[in-house]
Amino acid sequence: MYNINQSTDTKEAAAIEARRNREKERQNRFFNVRNRVMGVDVQALNNQVGDRKRREAAERSKEAAYGTSQVQYDVVVQMLEKEEADRTRRLAKKVQEFREQKQQLKNGREFSLWDPDQVWKGLPTYLSYSNTYPGPASLQYFSGEDLDRATRLRMQQGQFRYNLERQQQEQQQAKVHENCADALSNQLRLAMDAQATHLARLEESCRAAMMCAMANANKAQAAVQAGRRRCERQREQKANLAEIRHQSTSDLLTENPQVAQHRTAPHRVLPYCWKGMTPEQRAAIRKEQEVQRSKKEAHRQAEKTLDTEWKSQTMSSAQALLELEEQERELCAIFQRGLGSFNQQLANEQKAQQDYLNSVIYTNQPTAQYHRQFNTSSR
């Protein structure tokens, strides 16, 4: 993958500095009143087009380097995949050959799970001893007797020797094949390393060429910017000299009061040309201020007199209110005393009437017989 041999902080600082310079140039173009024109800034547009072309060229170079690295990685991946496929195919072939040679059904010495009647299909042991069937009463064959044990042992030893020799041959062949595979793998790895080295050299040369082109472009851009700044500095110096000459010869720095008058509205002044008021204007303002001060003083005296009258009227009203409250309290006291004497008189009268009722009228208390007669008569 494409990567420039520069630190991240240096690249970020360079990018920030470039943006700051572009912003400063743009502000100088926009805020310079003498050089600013209405319409399209052709120089700025040309600079933008050049920056875009340089940026696109850098992007194309970066994509080309990235494509080269991708091609390199693809070639390496294809070679590794091919090597893995060959190794898998060789291993599968060896397994198949081993199965075809060593795992045949006819060479199996163990009990076949797919043929449970294999033992019963074989010839009986006594047939190897005699082709005639002696019969159960001959006592020549007994259950469990092994008549061909010596022959069977010799055959087993020969078979074991044959298997051992075949295993040694297979191990030697496997070792030879493994050595060949290792040699081929080493050759392939060396070829891949050589191709990777060649591609790395190509990438390094491409990076160096791109860095050289970028450095030349930066130098050219720096020279153009230095020339532009020098021209702008000279133009600014000329503009400052013209401004100084204009200010020293115009009416802006003079004491002529007519300069500050507005052309269409004589009662208004131009703030950037106004030098102050005339003595007549200041005297008229002071006179008007004196009149306003006297009016304000008369108004203050009138308010003070009105406040004094309001205070005296409030005090007299408060005094009258106090006198009325005192009279009200006296009348309430008289009313309370009269009401008390009247209540005392009513109490005495009620007590005398109650004593009269208790002592004269209610002297005879009704008995139980009176109540019975009353209830009988009411029924």
Side-chain angles (χ1 to χ4, degrees):
M1 187 175 180
Y2 181 78
N3 186 12
I4 299 177
N5 292 327
Q6 292 182 355
S7 62
T8 307
D9 297 337
T10 307
K11 293 190 291 184
E12 291 181 356
I16 293 171
E17 185 65 24
R19 285 198 299 270
R20 188 182 292 113
N21 293 331
R22 288 196 298 271
E23 182 66 20
K24 189 179 295 182
E25 292 176 0
R26 189 178 68 86
Q27 290 180 0
N28 292 333
R29 270 200 322 274
F30 287 170
F31 296 117
N32 193 351
V33 181
R34 299 185 181 280
N35 297 330
R36 188 174 60 193
V37 295
M38 299 300 292
V40 180
D41 192 353
V42 180
Q43 185 178 1
L45 294 178
N46 293 332
N47 294 333
Q48 292 178 2
V49 171
D51 294 340
R52 186 178 62 188
K53 289 182 179 180
R54 286 190 293 272
R55 188 166 55 252
E56 290 177 355
E59 290 293 334
R60 285 194 297 271
S61 301
K62 187 184 296 184
E63 290 178 358
Y66 180 75
T68 304
S69 62
Q70 287 296 110
V71 170
Q72 176 184 355
Y73 296 151
D74 292 340
V75 171
V76 172
V77 169
Q78 290 177 2
M79 295 173 71
L80 291 175
E81 290 179 352
K82 185 177 180 180
E83 182 182 0
E84 184 67 23
D86 294 339
R87 188 182 298 109
T88 304
R89 187 166 53 254
R90 289 196 301 271
L91 180 60
K93 186 176 180 180
K94 289 180 181 179
V95 171
Q96 185 63 28
E97 290 177 355
F98 177 79
R99 288 175 179 175
E100 292 177 355
Q101 294 175 4
K102 301 299 182 181
Q103 293 183 351
Q104 294 182 2
L105 184 61
K106 63 182 181 179
N107 296 330
R109 294 187 298 273
E110 66 276 359
F111 182 73
S112 179
L113 297 177
W114 303 105
D115 192 6
D117 298 332
Q118 183 178 5
V119 177
W120 300 101
K121 292 179 181 179
L123 294 176
T125 308
Y126 63 84
L127 292 180
S128 62
Y129 176 73
S130 177
N131 293 328
T132 61
Y133 182 71
S138 63
L139 298 178
Q140 296 181 5
Y141 172 73
F142 300 96
S143 178
E145 185 178 6
D146 189 5
L147 300 178
D148 296 334
R149 182 174 180 276
T151 305
R152 182 171 52 78
L153 289 177
R154 286 194 300 272
M155 292 177 64
Q156 289 179 353
Q157 290 176 0
Q159 185 68 27
F160 180 74
R161 191 180 301 108
Y162 174 76
N163 293 335
L164 183 61
E165 292 176 356
R166 288 294 302 272
Q167 288 180 2
Q168 290 178 356
Q169 292 177 3
E170 290 176 357
Q171 290 178 359
Q172 291 177 0
Q173 291 178 0
K175 189 173 182 180
V176 171
H177 288 308
E178 185 177 359
N179 293 331
C180 293
D182 293 337
L184 291 175
S185 178
N186 292 330
Q187 293 178 2
L188 179 62
R189 191 176 296 106
L190 291 175
M192 290 170 59
D193 293 339
Q195 187 175 4
T197 305
H198 178 65
L199 293 175
R201 285 198 297 269
L202 291 177
E203 184 179 358
E204 187 66 25
S205 62
C206 181
R207 186 184 297 111
M210 189 183 65
M211 292 294 295
C212 182
M214 187 179 296
N216 294 330
N218 292 333
K219 289 180 181 179
Q221 187 177 4
V224 172
Q225 291 180 357
R228 189 184 300 114
R229 285 196 294 269
R230 185 170 57 254
C231 294
E232 290 179 355
R233 193 162 48 249
Q234 293 177 359
R235 189 163 51 249
E236 186 176 359
Q237 290 178 358
K238 291 180 181 179
N240 292 334
L241 291 175
E243 182 68 20
I244 293 171
R245 189 180 302 107
H246 175 70
Q247 293 292 340
S248 61
T249 57
S250 64
D251 293 335
L252 183 62
L253 300 177
T254 61
E255 299 296 333
N256 187 9
Q258 299 297 329
V259 179
Q261 291 183 357
H262 202 278
R263 294 183 181 179
T264 58
H267 62 282
R268 296 175 60 186
V269 295
L270 300 176
Y272 55 87
C273 296
W274 190 56
K275 301 299 180 180
M277 294 184 295
T278 61
E280 293 81 6
Q281 293 176 348
R282 287 195 291 270
I285 291 173
R286 290 194 185 94
K287 185 177 179 180
E288 184 66 25
Q289 289 177 352
E290 190 66 28
V291 172
Q292 292 178 0
R293 192 180 299 108
S294 60
K295 289 182 179 180
K296 190 173 183 180
E297 186 65 26
H299 184 66
R300 189 182 297 110
Q301 291 295 333
E303 288 182 353
K304 187 176 181 181
T305 304
L306 184 60
D307 292 340
T308 305
E309 292 178 358
W310 273 104
K311 287 180 180 180
S312 60
Q313 186 176 1
T314 303
M315 291 178 65
S316 60
S317 300
Q319 187 67 26
L321 184 60
L322 290 174
E323 292 177 359
L324 289 175
E325 289 178 355
E326 185 66 27
Q327 291 178 5
E328 185 178 0
R329 283 195 295 272
E330 292 176 358
L331 291 175
C332 287
I334 295 171
F335 176 74
Q336 291 294 334
R337 287 194 297 272
L339 183 61
S341 60
F342 179 72
N343 290 334
Q344 186 66 32
Q345 184 179 358
L346 287 177
N348 293 332
E349 291 177 357
Q350 289 179 0
K351 185 177 181 182
Q353 186 178 2
Q354 188 67 31
D355 293 339
Y356 173 74
L357 291 174
N358 293 331
S359 60
V360 177
I361 297 176
Y362 299 136
T363 56
N364 295 327
Q365 294 294 333
T367 60
Q369 185 180 2
Y370 171 77
H371 287 292
R372 285 195 298 269
Q373 292 177 358
F374 179 76
N375 292 330
T376 305
S377 62
S378 62
R379 291 176 182 177

